[in-house]
Amino acid sequence: MFRYFGLVIMELQNSKIFWLCKAQGISFQSEINDLTKKSKVSRRSCLNTCSPPNGPQGLLANIKLIYWPIRGRNIARQVVYRCTRCFRANLKFLQPFMAPLPTVRVTSYHPFIKTIHLELVRDLSSDIFIAALFRFISRCGQCTHLHSNNGTNLTGSDKILKSWKADLYKEDKFQDQLTTLGVKSAKKHLIRVSNRLLLTYEETSTLLCRIEAVLNSRPITVSSSDPPDYCAVCTHSWSFFIWVSPLTLPPEPDSRLQHFWKRWSTEYIPQLQRRIRWTEMSKNLSIGDLAILRDETAPPIHWRLVRIKGVHPGADSVARVVTVRNI
């Protein structure tokens, strides 16, 4: 074996690998711990944009450092195409065509709004939720639809509300984006203002009211092109048309409500009609298709394979909701 200054070539290569691993262990200690636990690398890491499966080009380049494969490009493409890890690391999610607006958002009865109501409660029991709902109805009027994120206390309240001929619809996190964004905005202001201080019940309730006023004061339509016109439709504009009526009688619209609806339908609703994403028709899902179930709490390599056993198309015949079973 050839020796160079008393060291063989294999010893030089091993020492090089040793010191490289040593340097990487010092510089990327947190990333190595994350990969060892089979979890995702932090978004702040400089290695977040890197991916071990580097595609056919990178695979072929690494092989050519030692060998020269015949028809190497075709072979590398076939290997990467059949590699499960490579496929999971570079998934392309199926995004259906954006659905049209539901009827409730364009009906001239109750304009669909983004008004946020915050109320402080002592616990998350069903009785406390029912009491908070009664306070809301007493101040803002009768509700036509109730939607929930299927929380435990809301599920228990569903039985009580059904006995009163009310309906508590359950929505998943993908359908309830407006509520999620509203909660996120409220938490953002609450954390910044409270500054991790322990507040009393009255102080917290007052703070939530002030945050509610800030969130509902944001304009939802662009201002008029006329410079002297400073009026814009805001979510708090709906508060001028809130009525208090018996729970057994439907509210009656008045002229102010019609004026509000006219501005709402001519200034705000046209903005919702424009599709800013999901504008191309994709492959429609069908029963028997094989899919990968996305899990935000696990890395892609651990996402489960599922089989579609039910398809639930919308009014436009595009399937956006499916029923799956584990394989």
Side-chain angles (χ1 to χ4, degrees), residues 229-250:
D229 186 9
Y230 298 99
C231 182
V233 177
C234 302
T235 54
H236 70 75
S237 301
W238 177 249
S239 60
F240 295 103
F241 309 104
I242 291 178
W243 51 82
V244 180
S245 59
L247 298 180
T248 57
L249 296 178

Side-chain angles (χ1 to χ4, degrees), residues 3-17:
R3 286 185 173 271
Y4 181 75
F5 291 107
L7 296 176
V8 298
I9 296 182
M10 185 61 67
E11 292 173 342
L12 292 173
Q13 293 178 350
N14 292 338
S15 62
K16 177 182 178 181
I17 296 175

